[in-house]
Amino acid sequence: MTIDLVDVNITSPGRNFVTLKITTSDGIVGWGDATLNGRELAVASYLSDHLASMLVGRDEDRIEDTWQYLYRGAYWRRGPVTMAAIAAVDMALWDIKAKKAGMPLYQLLGGASRDGVRVYAHASGTDYAALANAITGYEELGFTAVRVQTGVPGLGQIYGVSSAGPGVRYDYEPAKRAADGGAAERPHEENWDTRTYLSHMPGVFARIREDFGTGLRILHDGHHRMSPIEAARFAKDVEPYDLFWLEDCTPGEDQAALRLVRQHSTTPLAIGEIFNSVYDYQTLITERLIDYVRSAVTHTGGITAMKKLLDFAAVYGIRSGIHGPTDISPVGMAAALHLDLAIHNFGIQEYMPHNAETLEVFRTSFTFDRGFLHPGDQPGLGVELDEEAAAGHAYTKAYLPVNRLLDGTVHDW
Ligand code: GCO
Ligand code: MG
């Protein structure tokens, strides 16, 4: 059989998603996530204007060959737009293959290595009371791991902190459309000051340990803002509070920066949500500079590429921590869950549940139970896009924020 139709769906049920639909000549449909937050249409165009005609007529079973054909065949390699487009094709082809086999995808990846996938939630609050309230709410839902982000005095709205008020919040979304309080034509801006952050955060972790005990897994995202020496100091200062991981402490491009952080601290390090290739990790993995691989299946070339990356990491004792915010669509999330269940070196999975509007458009079969997710046992990925429902939500331009230091200098966001 062959690939017959290649369609790109763009929908915005509360936020934008780009989804690839591949239909085979005998009518089997596979779905792939191609969402790149704030740059969605570039990937949509890459797929419909450049890849679609190359795919029609190909044997849908030749997944590895198709991956190489798109990757090596482009001449221009890597980059988030290219790799998200390849990822979408790859996911859709695995969805088709597993549907043809009549099995959930994780069975084709070797079967389940565990009963469920431990997930972490996003707990945030503009101050400690709101943050503690959110953590309590997640504990009540059964979560055993939370990512903790909180306001820093004097900085206003910053990355990772929901302004929605105290309590359990699923709705933190950094990309803003005009309707969400952003500007229609350009990103909104936030403020940053690393010195204030460095002196504020350790005390927050100390209070959490005091109030919530030693059992809770605490994660934190530095979101690329520290210099190597600042990150080394931070990682050292927070050692007594036993973080599960410190994520993206320095800007991701500079792999060697983590040597300095490693020399000074035993705080586990996670990095990679803005990476898109195994080569972005070559130094980090072979020199054992990180503990967790944070790539998204959606931005790193799909299931084929992620499986190889995670197997490579396993040789060095490094585990997975796959990216799973709401800008990864339910299709991309399902792809992550099948991998999480199957691989041996699973670490933890990020889980920021999609809102009801999104879940009316994407019909999912994964289930949450007391802190663990399971991808479900439907053949394929287990997610179907309801195209009629999707058509009711027109694309609306959205941007991630731009970050500035207090003197106006553009900084990493
Ligand atoms: C995370 C991330 C996200 C990103 C978002 C950008 O750890 O989940 O940092 O919150 O900011 O994916 O689109
Ligand atoms: Mg992150």
Side-chain angles (χ1 to χ4, degrees), residues 15 36-38 120 122 147 159-160 172-175 221 223-224 245 247-248 273-274 294 299 323-328 350 352 400 413:
R15 66 169 338 289
L36 184 63
N37 209 3
Y120 71 88
H122 283 221
R147 185 188 90 150
Y159 167 75
Y172 170 71
E173 171 54 60
D221 194 342
H223 230 249
H224 325 274
W245 79 32
E247 174 184 347
D248 287 340
E273 71 181 35
I274 62 168
R294 281 286 288 143
H299 303 140
H323 196 214
T326 36
D327 44 291
I328 299 300
E350 180 177 19
M352 226 176 141
L400 287 168
W413 173 70

PDB file of all heavy atoms in Angstrom, residues 15 36-38 120 122 147 159-160 172-175 221 223-224 245 247-248 273-274 294 299 323-328 350 352 400 413, ligand 1:
ATOM      1  N   ARG A  15      -5.583  27.389  22.050  1.00  0.00           N
ATOM      2  CA  ARG A  15      -4.200  27.667  21.612  1.00  0.00           C
ATOM      3  C   ARG A  15      -3.990  26.997  20.266  1.00  0.00           C
ATOM      4  O   ARG A  15      -4.789  26.153  19.866  1.00  0.00           O
ATOM      5  CB  ARG A  15      -3.190  27.166  22.635  1.00  0.00           C
ATOM      6  CG  ARG A  15      -3.175  25.653  22.762  1.00  0.00           C
ATOM      7  CD  ARG A  15      -2.025  25.120  23.564  1.00  0.00           C
ATOM      8  NE  ARG A  15      -0.897  26.023  23.639  1.00  0.00           N
ATOM      9  CZ  ARG A  15      -0.095  26.296  22.612  1.00  0.00           C
ATOM     10  NH1 ARG A  15      -0.275  25.690  21.452  1.00  0.00           N
ATOM     11  NH2 ARG A  15       0.882  27.139  22.748  1.00  0.00           N
ATOM     12  N   LEU A  36       4.801  24.119  16.617  1.00  0.00           N
ATOM     13  CA  LEU A  36       5.990  24.844  17.076  1.00  0.00           C
ATOM     14  C   LEU A  36       5.489  26.191  17.592  1.00  0.00           C
ATOM     15  O   LEU A  36       5.145  27.083  16.800  1.00  0.00           O
ATOM     16  CB  LEU A  36       6.978  25.009  15.915  1.00  0.00           C
ATOM     17  CG  LEU A  36       8.320  25.657  16.248  1.00  0.00           C
ATOM     18  CD1 LEU A  36       9.116  24.819  17.244  1.00  0.00           C
ATOM     19  CD2 LEU A  36       9.145  25.843  14.970  1.00  0.00           C
ATOM     20  N   ASN A  37       5.447  26.304  18.917  1.00  0.00           N
ATOM     21  CA  ASN A  37       4.777  27.429  19.566  1.00  0.00           C
ATOM     22  C   ASN A  37       5.263  28.788  19.059  1.00  0.00           C
ATOM     23  O   ASN A  37       6.450  29.103  19.125  1.00  0.00           O
ATOM     24  CB  ASN A  37       5.014  27.325  21.079  1.00  0.00           C
ATOM     25  CG  ASN A  37       3.894  27.936  21.901  1.00  0.00           C
ATOM     26  OD1 ASN A  37       2.891  28.405  21.350  1.00  0.00           O
ATOM     27  ND2 ASN A  37       4.045  27.929  23.208  1.00  0.00           N
ATOM     28  N   GLY A  38       4.350  29.592  18.545  1.00  0.00           N
ATOM     29  CA  GLY A  38       4.687  30.940  18.084  1.00  0.00           C
ATOM     30  C   GLY A  38       5.213  31.007  16.658  1.00  0.00           C
ATOM     31  O   GLY A  38       5.390  32.093  16.111  1.00  0.00           O
ATOM     32  N   TYR A 120       5.074  14.679  36.175  1.00  0.00           N
ATOM     33  CA  TYR A 120       5.132  15.826  37.089  1.00  0.00           C
ATOM     34  C   TYR A 120       4.205  16.931  36.604  1.00  0.00           C
ATOM     35  O   TYR A 120       3.992  17.108  35.405  1.00  0.00           O
ATOM     36  CB  TYR A 120       6.556  16.339  37.290  1.00  0.00           C
ATOM     37  CG  TYR A 120       7.211  17.055  36.133  1.00  0.00           C
ATOM     38  CD1 TYR A 120       7.059  18.438  35.955  1.00  0.00           C
ATOM     39  CD2 TYR A 120       8.029  16.374  35.241  1.00  0.00           C
ATOM     40  CE1 TYR A 120       7.693  19.109  34.925  1.00  0.00           C
ATOM     41  CE2 TYR A 120       8.667  17.036  34.195  1.00  0.00           C
ATOM     42  CZ  TYR A 120       8.496  18.400  34.036  1.00  0.00           C
ATOM     43  OH  TYR A 120       9.135  19.054  33.009  1.00  0.00           O
ATOM     44  N   HIS A 122       2.744  21.101  36.956  1.00  0.00           N
ATOM     45  CA  HIS A 122       3.265  22.465  37.076  1.00  0.00           C
ATOM     46  C   HIS A 122       2.600  23.169  38.251  1.00  0.00           C
ATOM     47  O   HIS A 122       1.443  23.566  38.151  1.00  0.00           O
ATOM     48  CB  HIS A 122       2.948  23.268  35.822  1.00  0.00           C
ATOM     49  CG  HIS A 122       3.834  22.958  34.669  1.00  0.00           C
ATOM     50  ND1 HIS A 122       4.313  23.939  33.838  1.00  0.00           N
ATOM     51  CD2 HIS A 122       4.352  21.797  34.221  1.00  0.00           C
ATOM     52  CE1 HIS A 122       5.083  23.376  32.914  1.00  0.00           C
ATOM     53  NE2 HIS A 122       5.114  22.073  33.115  1.00  0.00           N
ATOM     54  N   ARG A 147       6.734  20.505  39.435  1.00  0.00           N
ATOM     55  CA  ARG A 147       7.684  21.525  39.037  1.00  0.00           C
ATOM     56  C   ARG A 147       7.264  22.808  39.741  1.00  0.00           C
ATOM     57  O   ARG A 147       6.083  23.175  39.716  1.00  0.00           O
ATOM     58  CB  ARG A 147       7.633  21.718  37.527  1.00  0.00           C
ATOM     59  CG  ARG A 147       8.675  22.674  37.021  1.00  0.00           C
ATOM     60  CD  ARG A 147       8.453  22.979  35.563  1.00  0.00           C
ATOM     61  NE  ARG A 147       7.588  24.126  35.412  1.00  0.00           N
ATOM     62  CZ  ARG A 147       7.645  24.965  34.379  1.00  0.00           C
ATOM     63  NH1 ARG A 147       8.508  24.751  33.413  1.00  0.00           N
ATOM     64  NH2 ARG A 147       6.824  25.990  34.297  1.00  0.00           N
ATOM     65  N   TYR A 159       8.268  34.015  33.691  1.00  0.00           N
ATOM     66  CA  TYR A 159       8.089  32.686  33.125  1.00  0.00           C
ATOM     67  C   TYR A 159       7.580  31.676  34.162  1.00  0.00           C
ATOM     68  O   TYR A 159       8.105  31.614  35.272  1.00  0.00           O
ATOM     69  CB  TYR A 159       9.423  32.149  32.537  1.00  0.00           C
ATOM     70  CG  TYR A 159       9.265  30.689  32.265  1.00  0.00           C
ATOM     71  CD1 TYR A 159       8.510  30.272  31.170  1.00  0.00           C
ATOM     72  CD2 TYR A 159       9.717  29.733  33.163  1.00  0.00           C
ATOM     73  CE1 TYR A 159       8.230  28.944  30.968  1.00  0.00           C
ATOM     74  CE2 TYR A 159       9.447  28.391  32.962  1.00  0.00           C
ATOM     75  CZ  TYR A 159       8.705  28.012  31.869  1.00  0.00           C
ATOM     76  OH  TYR A 159       8.401  26.691  31.687  1.00  0.00           O
ATOM     77  N   GLY A 160       6.626  30.878  33.767  1.00  0.00           N
ATOM     78  CA  GLY A 160       6.224  29.710  34.549  1.00  0.00           C
ATOM     79  C   GLY A 160       5.244  29.962  35.666  1.00  0.00           C
ATOM     80  O   GLY A 160       4.832  29.026  36.343  1.00  0.00           O
ATOM     81  N   TYR A 172      -1.515  27.474  32.621  1.00  0.00           N
ATOM     82  CA  TYR A 172      -0.426  28.408  32.359  1.00  0.00           C
ATOM     83  C   TYR A 172       0.006  28.281  30.902  1.00  0.00           C
ATOM     84  O   TYR A 172       0.406  27.221  30.443  1.00  0.00           O
ATOM     85  CB  TYR A 172       0.775  28.141  33.285  1.00  0.00           C
ATOM     86  CG  TYR A 172       1.970  28.944  32.848  1.00  0.00           C
ATOM     87  CD1 TYR A 172       1.984  30.319  33.016  1.00  0.00           C
ATOM     88  CD2 TYR A 172       3.038  28.345  32.205  1.00  0.00           C
ATOM     89  CE1 TYR A 172       3.045  31.077  32.569  1.00  0.00           C
ATOM     90  CE2 TYR A 172       4.105  29.091  31.756  1.00  0.00           C
ATOM     91  CZ  TYR A 172       4.110  30.457  31.942  1.00  0.00           C
ATOM     92  OH  TYR A 172       5.149  31.206  31.490  1.00  0.00           O
ATOM     93  N   GLU A 173      -0.106  29.343  30.164  1.00  0.00           N
ATOM     94  CA  GLU A 173       0.245  29.311  28.743  1.00  0.00           C
ATOM     95  C   GLU A 173       1.066  30.543  28.422  1.00  0.00           C
ATOM     96  O   GLU A 173       0.526  31.651  28.422  1.00  0.00           O
ATOM     97  CB  GLU A 173      -1.038  29.264  27.903  1.00  0.00           C
ATOM     98  CG  GLU A 173      -0.798  29.432  26.427  1.00  0.00           C
ATOM     99  CD  GLU A 173       0.222  28.453  25.868  1.00  0.00           C
ATOM    100  OE1 GLU A 173      -0.013  27.246  25.963  1.00  0.00           O
ATOM    101  OE2 GLU A 173       1.277  28.900  25.365  1.00  0.00           O
ATOM    102  N   PRO A 174       2.355  30.382  28.147  1.00  0.00           N
ATOM    103  CA  PRO A 174       3.189  31.568  27.919  1.00  0.00           C
ATOM    104  C   PRO A 174       2.911  32.278  26.595  1.00  0.00           C
ATOM    105  O   PRO A 174       3.085  33.492  26.496  1.00  0.00           O
ATOM    106  CB  PRO A 174       4.616  31.017  27.952  1.00  0.00           C
ATOM    107  CG  PRO A 174       4.498  29.553  27.676  1.00  0.00           C
ATOM    108  CD  PRO A 174       3.138  29.139  28.150  1.00  0.00           C
ATOM    109  N   ALA A 175       2.491  31.552  25.553  1.00  0.00           N
ATOM    110  CA  ALA A 175       2.238  32.210  24.264  1.00  0.00           C
ATOM    111  C   ALA A 175       0.928  32.978  24.369  1.00  0.00           C
ATOM    112  O   ALA A 175      -0.068  32.447  24.836  1.00  0.00           O
ATOM    113  CB  ALA A 175       2.162  31.176  23.155  1.00  0.00           C
ATOM    114  N   ASP A 221      12.638  24.891  36.770  1.00  0.00           N
ATOM    115  CA  ASP A 221      13.089  25.262  35.421  1.00  0.00           C
ATOM    116  C   ASP A 221      13.759  26.635  35.467  1.00  0.00           C
ATOM    117  O   ASP A 221      13.109  27.630  35.784  1.00  0.00           O
ATOM    118  CB  ASP A 221      11.851  25.301  34.496  1.00  0.00           C
ATOM    119  CG  ASP A 221      12.209  25.345  33.022  1.00  0.00           C
ATOM    120  OD1 ASP A 221      13.363  25.692  32.701  1.00  0.00           O
ATOM    121  OD2 ASP A 221      11.323  25.038  32.194  1.00  0.00           O
ATOM    122  N   HIS A 223      14.944  28.058  32.822  1.00  0.00           N
ATOM    123  CA  HIS A 223      14.560  28.650  31.535  1.00  0.00           C
ATOM    124  C   HIS A 223      15.674  29.479  30.903  1.00  0.00           C
ATOM    125  O   HIS A 223      15.454  30.614  30.463  1.00  0.00           O
ATOM    126  CB  HIS A 223      13.255  29.452  31.668  1.00  0.00           C
ATOM    127  CG  HIS A 223      12.253  29.091  30.617  1.00  0.00           C
ATOM    128  ND1 HIS A 223      11.898  29.938  29.604  1.00  0.00           N
ATOM    129  CD2 HIS A 223      11.559  27.958  30.403  1.00  0.00           C
ATOM    130  CE1 HIS A 223      11.004  29.348  28.828  1.00  0.00           C
ATOM    131  NE2 HIS A 223      10.792  28.132  29.277  1.00  0.00           N
ATOM    132  N   HIS A 224      16.877  28.900  30.869  1.00  0.00           N
ATOM    133  CA  HIS A 224      18.019  29.420  30.081  1.00  0.00           C
ATOM    134  C   HIS A 224      18.585  30.759  30.558  1.00  0.00           C
ATOM    135  O   HIS A 224      19.302  31.411  29.806  1.00  0.00           O
ATOM    136  CB  HIS A 224      17.624  29.601  28.596  1.00  0.00           C
ATOM    137  CG  HIS A 224      16.666  28.588  28.059  1.00  0.00           C
ATOM    138  ND1 HIS A 224      17.079  27.386  27.540  1.00  0.00           N
ATOM    139  CD2 HIS A 224      15.311  28.584  27.963  1.00  0.00           C
ATOM    140  CE1 HIS A 224      16.023  26.702  27.138  1.00  0.00           C
ATOM    141  NE2 HIS A 224      14.941  27.397  27.386  1.00  0.00           N
ATOM    142  N   TRP A 245      15.352  17.649  39.626  1.00  0.00           N
ATOM    143  CA  TRP A 245      16.235  18.194  38.599  1.00  0.00           C
ATOM    144  C   TRP A 245      16.169  19.710  38.565  1.00  0.00           C
ATOM    145  O   TRP A 245      15.199  20.317  39.019  1.00  0.00           O
ATOM    146  CB  TRP A 245      15.955  17.606  37.221  1.00  0.00           C
ATOM    147  CG  TRP A 245      14.774  18.112  36.409  1.00  0.00           C
ATOM    148  CD1 TRP A 245      14.222  19.377  36.373  1.00  0.00           C
ATOM    149  CD2 TRP A 245      14.024  17.348  35.459  1.00  0.00           C
ATOM    150  NE1 TRP A 245      13.195  19.417  35.472  1.00  0.00           N
ATOM    151  CE2 TRP A 245      13.046  18.192  34.891  1.00  0.00           C
ATOM    152  CE3 TRP A 245      14.105  16.025  35.020  1.00  0.00           C
ATOM    153  CZ2 TRP A 245      12.141  17.753  33.929  1.00  0.00           C
ATOM    154  CZ3 TRP A 245      13.211  15.593  34.060  1.00  0.00           C
ATOM    155  CH2 TRP A 245      12.233  16.451  33.522  1.00  0.00           C
ATOM    156  N   GLU A 247      16.331  22.355  35.543  1.00  0.00           N
ATOM    157  CA  GLU A 247      16.190  22.303  34.086  1.00  0.00           C
ATOM    158  C   GLU A 247      16.721  23.572  33.426  1.00  0.00           C
ATOM    159  O   GLU A 247      16.537  24.676  33.966  1.00  0.00           O
ATOM    160  CB  GLU A 247      14.696  22.148  33.775  1.00  0.00           C
ATOM    161  CG  GLU A 247      14.370  22.214  32.297  1.00  0.00           C
ATOM    162  CD  GLU A 247      12.869  22.154  32.036  1.00  0.00           C
ATOM    163  OE1 GLU A 247      12.100  21.826  32.956  1.00  0.00           O
ATOM    164  OE2 GLU A 247      12.465  22.450  30.898  1.00  0.00           O
ATOM    165  N   ASP A 248      17.330  23.419  32.264  1.00  0.00           N
ATOM    166  CA  ASP A 248      17.749  24.551  31.419  1.00  0.00           C
ATOM    167  C   ASP A 248      18.370  25.674  32.236  1.00  0.00           C
ATOM    168  O   ASP A 248      17.940  26.835  32.150  1.00  0.00           O
ATOM    169  CB  ASP A 248      16.547  25.093  30.625  1.00  0.00           C
ATOM    170  CG  ASP A 248      16.134  24.149  29.496  1.00  0.00           C
ATOM    171  OD1 ASP A 248      16.955  23.308  29.087  1.00  0.00           O
ATOM    172  OD2 ASP A 248      14.986  24.258  29.028  1.00  0.00           O
ATOM    173  N   GLU A 273      14.734  20.960  25.819  1.00  0.00           N
ATOM    174  CA  GLU A 273      13.421  21.163  25.190  1.00  0.00           C
ATOM    175  C   GLU A 273      13.517  22.002  23.918  1.00  0.00           C
ATOM    176  O   GLU A 273      12.621  21.942  23.086  1.00  0.00           O
ATOM    177  CB  GLU A 273      12.423  21.786  26.180  1.00  0.00           C
ATOM    178  CG  GLU A 273      12.715  23.234  26.496  1.00  0.00           C
ATOM    179  CD  GLU A 273      11.743  23.832  27.491  1.00  0.00           C
ATOM    180  OE1 GLU A 273      11.308  23.123  28.397  1.00  0.00           O
ATOM    181  OE2 GLU A 273      11.433  25.022  27.356  1.00  0.00           O
ATOM    182  N   ILE A 274      14.595  22.794  23.761  1.00  0.00           N
ATOM    183  CA  ILE A 274      14.702  23.530  22.492  1.00  0.00           C
ATOM    184  C   ILE A 274      15.705  22.878  21.539  1.00  0.00           C
ATOM    185  O   ILE A 274      16.011  23.425  20.487  1.00  0.00           O
ATOM    186  CB  ILE A 274      15.029  25.033  22.691  1.00  0.00           C
ATOM    187  CG1 ILE A 274      16.377  25.228  23.366  1.00  0.00           C
ATOM    188  CG2 ILE A 274      13.926  25.744  23.462  1.00  0.00           C
ATOM    189  CD1 ILE A 274      16.854  26.681  23.299  1.00  0.00           C
ATOM    190  N   ARG A 294      15.561  16.287  27.786  1.00  0.00           N
ATOM    191  CA  ARG A 294      14.270  16.988  27.839  1.00  0.00           C
ATOM    192  C   ARG A 294      13.613  17.191  26.482  1.00  0.00           C
ATOM    193  O   ARG A 294      12.648  17.957  26.356  1.00  0.00           O
ATOM    194  CB  ARG A 294      14.488  18.370  28.482  1.00  0.00           C
ATOM    195  CG  ARG A 294      14.603  18.342  29.971  1.00  0.00           C
ATOM    196  CD  ARG A 294      13.270  18.103  30.630  1.00  0.00           C
ATOM    197  NE  ARG A 294      12.389  19.264  30.528  1.00  0.00           N
ATOM    198  CZ  ARG A 294      11.080  19.195  30.343  1.00  0.00           C
ATOM    199  NH1 ARG A 294      10.467  18.041  30.190  1.00  0.00           N
ATOM    200  NH2 ARG A 294      10.363  20.300  30.288  1.00  0.00           N
ATOM    201  N   HIS A 299       9.569  17.961  18.441  1.00  0.00           N
ATOM    202  CA  HIS A 299      10.575  18.892  17.907  1.00  0.00           C
ATOM    203  C   HIS A 299      11.906  18.221  17.590  1.00  0.00           C
ATOM    204  O   HIS A 299      12.858  18.883  17.205  1.00  0.00           O
ATOM    205  CB  HIS A 299      10.801  20.050  18.895  1.00  0.00           C
ATOM    206  CG  HIS A 299       9.542  20.787  19.210  1.00  0.00           C
ATOM    207  ND1 HIS A 299       9.222  21.240  20.455  1.00  0.00           N
ATOM    208  CD2 HIS A 299       8.495  21.119  18.409  1.00  0.00           C
ATOM    209  CE1 HIS A 299       8.033  21.825  20.423  1.00  0.00           C
ATOM    210  NE2 HIS A 299       7.569  21.758  19.191  1.00  0.00           N
ATOM    211  N   HIS A 323       9.619  16.421  27.128  1.00  0.00           N
ATOM    212  CA  HIS A 323       8.887  17.687  27.178  1.00  0.00           C
ATOM    213  C   HIS A 323       7.389  17.455  26.942  1.00  0.00           C
ATOM    214  O   HIS A 323       7.019  16.798  25.976  1.00  0.00           O
ATOM    215  CB  HIS A 323       9.459  18.577  26.059  1.00  0.00           C
ATOM    216  CG  HIS A 323       9.120  20.015  26.164  1.00  0.00           C
ATOM    217  ND1 HIS A 323       8.919  20.799  25.046  1.00  0.00           N
ATOM    218  CD2 HIS A 323       8.982  20.830  27.225  1.00  0.00           C
ATOM    219  CE1 HIS A 323       8.659  22.042  25.432  1.00  0.00           C
ATOM    220  NE2 HIS A 323       8.696  22.088  26.738  1.00  0.00           N
ATOM    221  N   GLY A 324       6.543  18.014  27.796  1.00  0.00           N
ATOM    222  CA  GLY A 324       5.102  17.799  27.627  1.00  0.00           C
ATOM    223  C   GLY A 324       4.244  18.949  28.105  1.00  0.00           C
ATOM    224  O   GLY A 324       3.264  18.738  28.825  1.00  0.00           O
ATOM    225  N   PRO A 325       4.570  20.207  27.722  1.00  0.00           N
ATOM    226  CA  PRO A 325       3.682  21.314  28.067  1.00  0.00           C
ATOM    227  C   PRO A 325       2.472  21.314  27.135  1.00  0.00           C
ATOM    228  O   PRO A 325       2.386  20.469  26.233  1.00  0.00           O
ATOM    229  CB  PRO A 325       4.558  22.545  27.817  1.00  0.00           C
ATOM    230  CG  PRO A 325       5.418  22.137  26.671  1.00  0.00           C
ATOM    231  CD  PRO A 325       5.674  20.659  26.838  1.00  0.00           C
ATOM    232  N   THR A 326       1.573  22.274  27.299  1.00  0.00           N
ATOM    233  CA  THR A 326       0.362  22.263  26.464  1.00  0.00           C
ATOM    234  C   THR A 326       0.642  22.612  25.009  1.00  0.00           C
ATOM    235  O   THR A 326      -0.212  22.395  24.154  1.00  0.00           O
ATOM    236  CB  THR A 326      -0.702  23.234  27.020  1.00  0.00           C
ATOM    237  OG1 THR A 326      -0.046  24.370  27.565  1.00  0.00           O
ATOM    238  CG2 THR A 326      -1.546  22.571  28.082  1.00  0.00           C
ATOM    239  N   ASP A 327       1.829  23.143  24.704  1.00  0.00           N
ATOM    240  CA  ASP A 327       2.101  23.412  23.283  1.00  0.00           C
ATOM    241  C   ASP A 327       2.502  22.139  22.530  1.00  0.00           C
ATOM    242  O   ASP A 327       2.658  22.175  21.304  1.00  0.00           O
ATOM    243  CB  ASP A 327       3.100  24.554  23.067  1.00  0.00           C
ATOM    244  CG  ASP A 327       4.319  24.537  23.964  1.00  0.00           C
ATOM    245  OD1 ASP A 327       4.172  24.766  25.176  1.00  0.00           O
ATOM    246  OD2 ASP A 327       5.415  24.314  23.452  1.00  0.00           O
ATOM    247  N   ILE A 328       2.674  21.040  23.229  1.00  0.00           N
ATOM    248  CA  ILE A 328       2.771  19.732  22.576  1.00  0.00           C
ATOM    249  C   ILE A 328       1.322  19.244  22.471  1.00  0.00           C
ATOM    250  O   ILE A 328       0.631  19.155  23.490  1.00  0.00           O
ATOM    251  CB  ILE A 328       3.610  18.757  23.442  1.00  0.00           C
ATOM    252  CG1 ILE A 328       5.044  19.289  23.624  1.00  0.00           C
ATOM    253  CG2 ILE A 328       3.583  17.344  22.877  1.00  0.00           C
ATOM    254  CD1 ILE A 328       5.824  19.473  22.350  1.00  0.00           C
ATOM    255  N   GLU A 350       6.762  15.059  31.737  1.00  0.00           N
ATOM    256  CA  GLU A 350       6.054  16.309  32.039  1.00  0.00           C
ATOM    257  C   GLU A 350       4.593  16.181  31.604  1.00  0.00           C
ATOM    258  O   GLU A 350       4.292  15.669  30.532  1.00  0.00           O
ATOM    259  CB  GLU A 350       6.716  17.459  31.284  1.00  0.00           C
ATOM    260  CG  GLU A 350       6.062  18.811  31.535  1.00  0.00           C
ATOM    261  CD  GLU A 350       6.790  19.961  30.816  1.00  0.00           C
ATOM    262  OE1 GLU A 350       7.553  19.672  29.869  1.00  0.00           O
ATOM    263  OE2 GLU A 350       6.602  21.113  31.218  1.00  0.00           O
ATOM    264  N   MET A 352       1.128  18.597  31.512  1.00  0.00           N
ATOM    265  CA  MET A 352       0.364  19.822  31.719  1.00  0.00           C
ATOM    266  C   MET A 352      -0.937  19.564  30.977  1.00  0.00           C
ATOM    267  O   MET A 352      -0.977  19.699  29.761  1.00  0.00           O
ATOM    268  CB  MET A 352       1.123  20.955  31.030  1.00  0.00           C
ATOM    269  CG  MET A 352       1.283  22.199  31.806  1.00  0.00           C
ATOM    270  SD  MET A 352       2.303  23.291  30.789  1.00  0.00           S
ATOM    271  CE  MET A 352       1.486  24.807  31.145  1.00  0.00           C
ATOM    272  N   LEU A 400       5.373  33.828  21.908  1.00  0.00           N
ATOM    273  CA  LEU A 400       6.002  33.679  23.213  1.00  0.00           C
ATOM    274  C   LEU A 400       6.577  35.042  23.600  1.00  0.00           C
ATOM    275  O   LEU A 400       6.874  35.857  22.723  1.00  0.00           O
ATOM    276  CB  LEU A 400       7.118  32.628  23.131  1.00  0.00           C
ATOM    277  CG  LEU A 400       6.618  31.182  23.011  1.00  0.00           C
ATOM    278  CD1 LEU A 400       7.757  30.250  22.651  1.00  0.00           C
ATOM    279  CD2 LEU A 400       5.939  30.730  24.295  1.00  0.00           C
ATOM    280  N   TRP A 413      14.714  34.268  27.346  1.00  0.00           N
ATOM    281  CA  TRP A 413      13.418  34.126  28.006  1.00  0.00           C
ATOM    282  C   TRP A 413      13.247  32.734  28.583  1.00  0.00           C
ATOM    283  O   TRP A 413      13.737  31.777  28.265  1.00  0.00           O
ATOM    284  CB  TRP A 413      12.268  34.388  27.026  1.00  0.00           C
ATOM    285  CG  TRP A 413      10.947  34.059  27.683  1.00  0.00           C
ATOM    286  CD1 TRP A 413      10.335  34.759  28.691  1.00  0.00           C
ATOM    287  CD2 TRP A 413      10.098  32.933  27.422  1.00  0.00           C
ATOM    288  NE1 TRP A 413       9.161  34.151  29.057  1.00  0.00           N
ATOM    289  CE2 TRP A 413       8.998  33.010  28.299  1.00  0.00           C
ATOM    290  CE3 TRP A 413      10.189  31.838  26.546  1.00  0.00           C
ATOM    291  CZ2 TRP A 413       7.971  32.060  28.326  1.00  0.00           C
ATOM    292  CZ3 TRP A 413       9.180  30.899  26.548  1.00  0.00           C
ATOM    293  CH2 TRP A 413       8.068  31.009  27.441  1.00  0.00           C
TER     294      TRP A 413
HETATM  295  C1  GCO B   1       8.608  23.450  30.043  1.00  0.00           C
HETATM  296  C2  GCO B   1       8.857  24.578  29.137  1.00  0.00           C
HETATM  297  C3  GCO B   1       7.675  25.229  28.518  1.00  0.00           C
HETATM  298  C4  GCO B   1       8.122  26.207  27.443  1.00  0.00           C
HETATM  299  C5  GCO B   1       7.157  26.205  26.327  1.00  0.00           C
HETATM  300  C6  GCO B   1       7.470  27.199  25.247  1.00  0.00           C
HETATM  301  O1  GCO B   1       9.518  23.102  30.768  1.00  0.00           O
HETATM  302  O2  GCO B   1       7.524  22.921  29.978  1.00  0.00           O
HETATM  303  O3  GCO B   1       9.853  25.424  29.606  1.00  0.00           O
HETATM  304  O4  GCO B   1       6.848  25.813  29.469  1.00  0.00           O
HETATM  305  O5  GCO B   1       8.277  27.477  27.971  1.00  0.00           O
HETATM  306  O6  GCO B   1       7.149  24.912  25.789  1.00  0.00           O
HETATM  307  O7  GCO B   1       6.612  27.027  24.187  1.00  0.00           O
END
